[in-house]
Amino acid sequence: MRNSEYPMLKGITYLDHGGTTLTPRSLLNSFCHEMQAVLLANPHSDASNPSASAIMVEETRHQVLRMLNADPAYFDIVFTANATAAIKLVTEGFSGSEDGFDYYYHRNSHTSLVGVRELAARSHCLASNEEAEDWLAGRASNVLGEPVSRRSILFAYPAQSNMNGERLPLSWPGMLRDSPRHPNAYSLLDAAALVSTSPLDLSNYVLAPDFVAMSFYKIFGFPDLGALVIRKAAGHVFDHRKYFGGGTTDMVTCIGDAWVARKHSSLHARLEDGTTAIRSILALKCAIVTHRELFGGLGKVSEHTSWLAKRLYTRLISLKHYNGAPVCHLYNHPDSTYGDPTTQGATVAFNVCGSDGTWVGPWKVGTMLRARKIYLRTGTLCNPGGIACALGVDAELLRRAFNEGFRCNTEADMIEGMPIGIIRVTLGAMSTMEDVDVLINALYQNVTEHNDALKPSANDYNNKVDSVMTSN
Ligand SMILES: Cc1ncc(COP(=O)(O)O)c(C=O)c1O
């Protein structure tokens, strides 16, 4: 299946599915077929009501809701460019209110969640799961001071860290809703990393997040499209949104009074600005079917990638230099367990050390691997809080590093002998044991220091590498 569906993988070991997963040939074929079979007019121009395009878009919306076990009576889906655009849309709703909003975000947040703080009246980064749970349950005093009357609170966190794959509790939105200390608070779940290799179940609408952001290319490899899932009970947040775009209004006046009547038929009718991404949505419809045919659904993908990630993790920790010093320092959260998909996704984050414990810059390792056609991600990974905690560096040191010329994913990624960045492997539905073995072998051959007297010859190595690796 790999050869026929993913010809672009020939001779390549691709380990950056968290960046984007790859597009299977069957999806492209089915998309090309549909594009030639169906006339897709702009739904805003087509006089037939509803148009073929509008019907296809609504069908796809329902398919996505079904994929999430989300009852359309309680949830709506707004198609967006990507997860970031979905997060920005939520921010537009909250920042439109006269009283503004207070913002709490988890330290594992992707930069796209962190950026919301710039529009908040006050913001606070919850530095650990314990701090988050104390705050959610109303046990901690309010670090931002007393809530301002009528000002809403937005709490955001990733369902899975894009840095090390730690899966965070999906019970937090329910805790927030139950807490009498937070009567005017809403939750935003960034599911971009989670849903790439895991199902997300929104069947319990009482405990579900108010907003869920995701990017479909991370699940299917195509199309480049995202979505915001909105719990309808929280839809009033968008009553404050100021901007309106084409297609979201029933009437606008400009000469004389500046007046607008916004659409009220549904949240998506009100929030999908401009021409609907009809071709991308058609591709999404094809992608949902193809993915199920190829992989049997996200539950199966979760089982496969979870097993593979455990194998990779185990082999990385067992890589040792000739003197017994570990080759890799791994950054998994202590409460996460590889092989347990409720706490850990298919991501392994690490750095490389020499036999004397000195760090090797992640960019250098990444460049060496890339030369061997192994693709993975290095750098600070758009996860500023997670990286700072994993590396044990504070804001002052990071600013100093910046002033001294550090830039993410360049050769200058060390300060005072410490790396400012990590190496990240993310596995996907079509990853194989061989992908894992190729990476381990490359690290064994190129960064592991061997005792020359014991070092196997190239031939020995090729024959015995597996037993060498597992006995270490
Ligand atoms: C957890 C998480 N959130 C948000 C994003 C941003 O997604 P996008 O770039 O598709 O908007 C990513 C992308 O890697 C991510 O992993």
Side-chain angles (χ1 to χ4, degrees):
M1 188 263 267
R2 256 264 287 245
N3 289 346
S4 58
E5 289 293 341
Y6 300 97
M8 72 294 267
L9 277 177
K10 198 167 188 296
I12 285 176
T13 304
Y14 186 76
L15 299 169
D16 187 27
H17 294 272
T20 177
T21 198
L22 304 172
T23 317
R25 196 199 292 257
S26 305
L27 169 54
L28 293 176
N29 288 345
S30 111
F31 176 57
C32 286
H33 172 80
E34 288 289 316
M35 279 295 289
Q36 292 168 74
V38 187
L39 189 143
L40 289 180
N42 187 323
H44 299 162
S45 339
D46 196 338
S48 54
N49 192 11
S51 67
S53 306
I55 292 170
M56 180 278 293
V57 169
E58 288 322 299
E59 277 173 11
T60 312
R61 219 184 286 284
H62 276 84
Q63 280 185 21
V64 177
L65 286 169
R66 265 200 300 282
M67 185 177 102
L68 300 169
N69 283 333
D71 183 340
Y74 300 107
F75 294 94
D76 199 352
I77 294 224
V78 177
F79 288 117
T80 58
N82 47 31
T84 303
I87 293 164
K88 268 171 85 175
L89 188 56
V90 174
T91 315
E92 275 182 24
F94 280 92
S95 59
S97 147
E98 240 173 68
D99 305 293
F101 68 106
D102 284 345
Y103 184 50
Y104 288 81
Y105 61 100
H106 191 277
R107 74 144 195 247
N108 272 337
S109 295
H110 186 276
T111 304
S112 295
L113 272 191
V114 177
V116 174
R117 72 180 185 199
E118 303 296 309
L119 286 111
R122 304 182 297 189
S123 68
H124 175 67
C125 176
L126 297 156
S128 66
N129 292 359
E130 292 70 32
E131 190 192 351
E133 294 201 340
D134 282 348
W135 176 78
L136 286 165
R139 289 192 291 267
S141 57
N142 220 325
V143 275
L144 291 179
E146 279 315 296
V148 174
S149 80
R150 296 196 1 230
R151 180 184 291 167
S152 310
I153 291 174
L154 177 62
F155 163 64
Y157 75 106
Q160 174 178 316
S161 159
N162 68 311
M163 183 201 73
N164 64 359
E166 174 192 354
R167 288 191 173 157
L168 290 106
L170 294 172
S171 53
W172 285 355
M175 271 175 86
L176 184 67
R177 197 162 295 131
D178 274 354
S179 166
R181 286 280 299 274
H182 306 300
N184 198 13
Y186 301 82
S187 53
L188 163 59
L189 183 76
D190 173 3
L194 176 79
V195 293
S196 62
T197 55
S198 167
L200 174 67
D201 181 8
L202 299 178
S203 55
N204 189 338
Y205 74 93
V206 177
L207 301 177
D210 293 300
F211 312 102
V212 180
M214 63 180 72
S215 285
F216 294 111
Y217 69 89
K218 289 195 192 291
I219 313 174
F220 306 119
F222 182 67
D224 296 337
L225 184 74
L228 177 66
V229 185
I230 304 174
R231 194 171 167 267
K232 286 182 178 173
H236 57 268
V237 162
F238 296 101
D239 293 348
H240 304 297
R241 181 179 180 241
K242 293 206 167 19
Y243 180 78
F244 58 83
T248 65
T249 61
D250 281 327
M251 182 169 282
V252 182
T253 63
C254 306
I255 315 290
D257 267 358
W259 176 79
V260 56
R262 295 171 195 249
K263 282 191 175 160
H264 279 290
S265 53
S266 66
L267 282 162
H268 63 259
R270 197 169 5 141
L271 298 174
E272 280 173 0
D273 298 316
T275 300
T276 318
I278 40 176
R279 276 161 283 267
S280 298
I281 295 170
L282 177 66
L284 174 61
K285 188 175 168 208
C286 301
I288 294 171
V289 176
T290 311
H291 190 266
R292 206 178 305 122
E293 283 170 2
L294 289 178
F295 303 111
L298 277 165
K300 288 264 183 321
V301 172
S302 171
E303 277 172 32
H304 168 68
T305 52
S306 178
W307 178 84
L308 212 53
K310 184 175 177 186
R311 180 181 167 96
L312 171 62
Y313 173 77
T314 312
R315 297 194 70 190
L316 284 173
I317 46 173
S318 61
L319 266 184
K320 298 279 191 316
H321 292 294
Y322 68 92
N323 61 356
V327 174
C328 299
H329 179 92
L330 288 110
Y331 296 103
N332 47 308
H333 189 273
D335 295 340
S336 297
T337 308
Y338 281 95
D340 170 12
T342 60
T343 61
Q344 179 63 51
T347 303
V348 183
F350 64 99
N351 265 319
V352 166
C353 300
S355 59
D356 58 358
T358 53
W359 297 103
V360 183
W363 186 87
K364 193 169 167 188
V365 179
T367 309
M368 177 278 289
L369 293 171
R370 180 61 71 90
R372 284 154 186 80
K373 298 200 164 114
I374 301 171
Y375 287 62
L376 41 62
R377 175 91 183 251
T378 57
T380 52
L381 315 179
C382 273
N383 193 317
I387 283 280
C389 291
L391 300 175
V393 294
D394 59 16
E396 196 191 320
L397 185 122
L398 287 170
R399 290 187 69 163
R400 190 146 42 84
F402 180 83
N403 291 336
E404 287 176 15
F406 160 82
R407 293 294 179 270
C408 179
N409 228 355
T410 63
E411 203 164 359
D413 63 356
M414 304 274 284
I415 180 166
E416 296 165 10
M418 274 181 47
I420 306 290
I422 57 171
I423 303 161
R424 183 191 75 177
V425 174
T426 43
L427 301 164
M430 75 297 297
S431 297
T432 60
M433 244 158 59
E434 194 194 346
D435 293 332
V436 169
D437 293 347
V438 169
L439 173 67
I440 297 289
N441 291 350
L443 292 172
Y444 181 79
Q445 285 179 318
N446 298 288
V447 296
T448 305
E449 295 169 33
H450 305 278
N451 182 333
D452 280 345
L454 299 176
K455 192 174 177 179
S457 70
N459 273 346
D460 286 350
Y461 176 80
N462 285 337
N463 294 335
K464 293 180 190 159
V465 68
D466 261 327
S467 56
V468 170
M469 230 58 83
T470 46
S471 64
N472 261 331

